[in-house]
Amino acid sequence: MTAVQEKPARLISGPGMLLVWFYGVMVVGALSRSAYQIATEFDRAPLAYALSAVAGVVYAFITYTLVRGGETARRAALVCCAAELAGVLVVGTWTLVEPSAFPDATVWSEYGMGYVFIPVLLPLSAMYWLRKARERGGA
């Protein structure tokens, strides 16, 4: 007897596809920037460059969970988006209060001002979308 496996509910229909696109762009931006900076000038601002790399990994995981779909992926993405938002708020505030701690900017510096504030708006939008996906039974 073969068990029928149900396909995970999609999270990337409608506006969810736009979220995947934005997160994909942020993955490329954050990881390529941090990889270059870590490889060429890590001693200049190790904390900033390491935080940008962490941001890129978080973006990649969220992108993966959105594409994967299903309730488990939705919950994982929601947790990661909340952690991402906390990171943006902490690092953004830290860069304003103690700018000398960051001789170079991170993706999350000044709440993502260098990225047109997308780093602070993206997790808010994603958390809203993920909650709506649950309410409508999409995941």
Side-chain angles (χ1 to χ4, degrees):
M1 199 180 262
T2 58
V4 177
Q5 289 189 350
E6 217 174 287
K7 189 175 180 180
R10 290 179 46 94
L11 294 172
I12 58 171
S13 60
M17 190 57 130
L18 187 59
L19 285 173
V20 168
W21 185 86
F22 269 112
Y23 271 112
V25 168
M26 294 303 289
V27 168
V28 172
L31 288 180
S32 60
R33 173 185 174 169
S34 64
Y36 174 78
Q37 290 171 322
I38 288 170
T40 61
E41 52 194 14
F42 186 70
D43 57 331
R44 182 171 162 218
L47 179 59
Y49 303 152
L51 285 172
S52 288
V54 168
V57 170
V58 170
Y59 294 147
F61 183 77
I62 293 170
T63 304
Y64 167 76
T65 57
L66 289 171
V67 171
R68 171 123 169 83
E71 180 59 18
T72 302
R74 188 196 66 77
R75 278 191 250 129
L78 197 54
V79 168
C80 281
C81 287
E84 173 194 358
L85 181 60
V88 171
L89 295 176
V90 167
V91 172
T93 303
W94 191 2
T95 57
L96 294 174
V97 172
E98 187 60 45
S100 63
F102 295 89
D104 204 353
T106 74
V107 174
W108 295 343
S109 292
E110 298 171 341
Y111 309 108
M113 187 168 71
Y115 287 81
V116 198
F117 297 103
I118 291 171
V120 76
L121 297 173
L122 200 52
L124 291 170
S125 301
M127 290 180 352
Y128 176 79
W129 173 252
L130 291 164
R131 288 186 181 273
K132 286 294 182 188
R134 181 172 187 227
E135 288 173 11
R136 71 175 186 277

